[in-house]
Amino acid sequence: MIGYSAHDNALGFRAVRLHYTADPDKNPHHEDPEIAEKAQAWYDSARSKYPDPNQWAQEMEINWWVGQGQLVYPEFQETLHAPALEGFRARKIIYRAWDFGWHCPSVLIAQIDSKDRLVVLKEVVGRQQTTREFAQEVIKRCADWFPRHTAGFTDFCDPAGQQATSTANERAEIRDVEILNKLGVFPSWAYGWSRKDGRSLVHQLLQIRLDKTPSMFVNAPDCPVLLQGFLGKYVYPPKKNGAAHDEPDETNHPWADVMACLRYLASGLYSALGLRRGAAPSGPVRRAAEYMGYGTPVKRSSLCGRRR
């Protein structure tokens, strides 16, 4: 049911999530155009009563991940970018993007679907692990998740992975990439891609195409950290004068780490996904607060009209 979900949490309690879109009259994405139009009118009225977008996100969108600052990817909407997804494509290549580091080494695992959309299937986030320990864990999980996957894996990483590691626990190791090579993983990278370039590609992936779908989907149940980052934990920090910094807080672990993996995926696959370098904004996106929150509804027609 749209807007409703229930599960048993780690403490053994039955947790129920009830969003306003569970009421058809308040669901601007309803299949019936007349109901959708009335629901959009309700949304516009209700939204106008919350001048603070963070308060709206917390109170109305059930967003527990709102951070201080401007969202790096305000286009992201859970209802559009994180729908229920089918399983992976057994005969197609699986892509992995690695972000190294002692605190939160991370990997995103993805495929390209039959309509040339990037589908992020799973994430692996480590904690205080050497590159060797983390890589061994990822390899084991992939063997369990994708047994006998004949199409194989293609890996990407940051060019910084070629630099001597800076973590004290791995000073005896050679380099992160060489460690992966010894385990049979051979990541590639492209020099010249800045963080802003990578974010520009992600902005393009989040845009709505002519078929009214985005160019990227997230498998939310298996990518909780990535989802939290999109919904509010990955932000441009505020300045004292109320403006936002031009760069996100890259020390905000683990959300910054999985977002780095997403940039490596986008830059590694940009030609396969039909993206253009530098074609989207790379700094804080100053748009109306209609994009904020947990699955905020926005008319798809308006999205298609304003995103070129």
Side-chain angles (χ1 to χ4, degrees):
M1 176 180 178
I2 296 176
Y4 171 86
S5 64
H7 69 280
D8 294 326
N9 63 20
L11 298 177
F13 291 98
R14 189 66 172 171
V16 176
R17 175 187 175 276
L18 185 63
H19 190 254
Y20 59 77
T21 52
D23 181 352
D25 292 334
K26 297 178 180 178
N27 180 13
H29 294 299
H30 197 280
E31 296 178 354
D32 188 322
E34 293 185 4
I35 296 178
E37 184 177 357
K38 293 180 180 178
Q40 185 66 40
W42 170 86
Y43 170 80
D44 293 339
S45 175
R47 181 66 188 83
S48 66
K49 299 175 183 178
Y50 289 81
D52 182 353
N54 284 344
Q55 185 181 12
W56 170 266
Q58 292 171 339
E59 297 293 332
M60 298 296 290
E61 304 291 358
I62 324 177
N63 186 350
W64 303 100
W65 313 109
V66 174
Q68 293 296 317
Q70 293 189 27
L71 288 173
V72 175
Y73 301 115
E75 309 96 325
F76 183 88
Q77 300 175 62
E78 189 178 6
T79 53
L80 291 177
H81 297 94
L85 298 173
E86 299 179 356
F88 77 103
R89 305 177 72 191
R91 298 183 180 180
K92 297 297 181 180
I93 294 174
I94 292 175
Y95 300 98
R96 298 183 295 202
W98 302 73
D99 185 60
F100 306 113
W102 163 253
H103 292 289
C104 296
S106 304
V107 164
L108 287 183
I109 301 171
Q111 284 188 313
I112 298 176
D113 71 7
S114 59
K115 296 184 178 181
D116 295 328
R117 297 172 297 203
L118 181 66
V119 181
V120 184
L121 299 170
K122 294 181 181 292
E123 68 182 30
V124 183
V125 180
R127 182 175 180 272
Q128 297 183 352
Q129 290 175 290
T130 66
T131 297
R132 184 182 300 278
E133 292 169 344
F134 179 66
Q136 290 173 333
E137 178 182 346
V138 172
I139 292 171
K140 182 180 183 303
R141 290 198 189 189
C142 287
D144 293 337
W145 288 331
F146 316 109
R148 299 181 297 279
H149 184 64
T150 56
F153 299 85
T154 295
D155 297 270
F156 303 107
C157 72
D158 183 14
Q162 281 292 281
Q163 301 173 7
T165 180
S166 60
T167 58
N169 296 72
E170 291 191 345
R171 294 195 189 279
E173 301 285 2
I174 305 175
R175 295 177 181 179
D176 289 318
V177 171
E178 292 184 3
I179 293 170
L180 294 184
N181 292 165
K182 291 180 179 179
L183 296 173
V185 177
F186 299 91
S188 61
W189 60 91
Y191 289 108
W193 287 93
S194 68
R195 290 175 177 175
K196 289 185 177 181
D197 290 332
R199 292 195 299 270
S200 174
L201 297 182
V202 176
H203 280 298
Q204 294 177 57
L205 287 171
L206 295 173
Q207 293 176 3
I208 305 302
R209 311 187 313 180
L210 293 178
D211 63 1
K212 298 185 178 181
T213 68
S215 295
M216 171 184 170
F217 288 134
V218 175
N219 181 25
D222 291 332
C223 300
V225 177
L226 181 62
L227 182 65
Q228 294 160 17
F230 274 125
L231 294 178
K233 297 300 287 187
Y234 191 57
V235 298
Y236 293 104
K239 297 180 180 179
K240 292 183 179 180
N241 62 3
H245 285 274
D246 292 333
E247 288 292 327
D249 181 4
E250 298 296 345
T251 64
N252 188 20
H253 307 294
W255 301 281
D257 303 275
V258 296
M259 286 297 179
C261 292
L262 184 59
R263 293 198 307 270
Y264 308 153
L265 268 177
S267 59
L269 294 169
Y270 81 100
S271 58
L273 295 170
L275 305 178
R276 290 178 296 170
R277 189 167 184 170
S282 57
V285 181
R286 307 184 188 283
R287 291 182 176 166
E290 61 195 8
Y291 290 108
M292 293 292 294
Y294 194 96
T296 303
V298 181
K299 282 186 176 180
R300 295 187 180 183
S301 57
S302 64
L303 290 173
C304 294
R306 75 177 64 179
R307 297 177 190 170
R308 299 296 181 189

